Amino acid sequence: QVQLVESGGGWVKAGGSLRLSCAVSGRTERTYTMAWFRQAPGKERAFVAAIKRSGSKEYNGNSVKGRFTVSRDNSQKTLFLQMNSLEPEDTAVYYCAAALGNPISSSLRVASTFDFWGQGTQVTVSS
């Protein structure tokens, strides 16, 4: 089993920045494809960004590319999401997710691809 714990959420004014972290524990000897999703009130959970085992990255180009950066530390026990130029539309609960295996790129945007989830951290951006 793998446990994921997010941190770093909070309240920020539009234009500000936040850095989310996701600590991985449990079966950390394995390397996972990891991702960030977010869910705004009344909306479905949506893909934000992912980083594969190889280090290659995928972003939701429609909404976050150029503002958000996903990364992971060398030990691959922590996932990060640097969020800059935040907008009120970014307000959501942000979830960290991990997938066993090596999912193909086209499947990374689908929540069901991922096997493990954190509890989420709230990000609120005021105008």
Side-chain angles (χ1 to χ4, degrees), residues 6 9 40 52 68 74 104 111:
E6 302 95 335
K52 301 179 75 173
F68 290 10
N74 290 337
I104 59 175

Side-chain angles (χ1 to χ4, degrees), residues 2-5 22-26 28 32 34 76-79 96:
V2 171
Q3 293 79 44
L4 306 175
V5 179
C22 173
V24 183
S25 62
T28 58
Y32 302 93
M34 300 195 69
Q76 301 187 342
K77 292 184 178 181
T78 307
L79 177 72
C96 170

Side-chain angles (χ1 to χ4, degrees), residues 5-67:
V5 179
E6 302 95 335
S7 61
W11 177 88
V12 65
K13 289 187 176 180
S17 298
L18 284 174
R19 189 190 195 205
L20 305 184
S21 298
C22 173
V24 183
S25 62
R27 296 284 306 270
T28 58
E29 72 276 12
R30 304 184 66 169
T31 303
Y32 302 93
T33 292
M34 300 195 69
W36 290 98
F37 283 74
R38 66 185 182 185
Q39 189 166 16
K43 295 187 177 181
E44 294 185 352
R45 194 166 296 190
F47 172 74
V48 175
I51 184 165
K52 301 179 75 173
R53 291 177 170 182
S54 62
S56 65
K57 303 174 184 181
E58 300 277 343
Y59 292 96
N60 183 333
N62 291 337
S63 58
V64 307
K65 194 170 185 178
R67 300 188 298 122

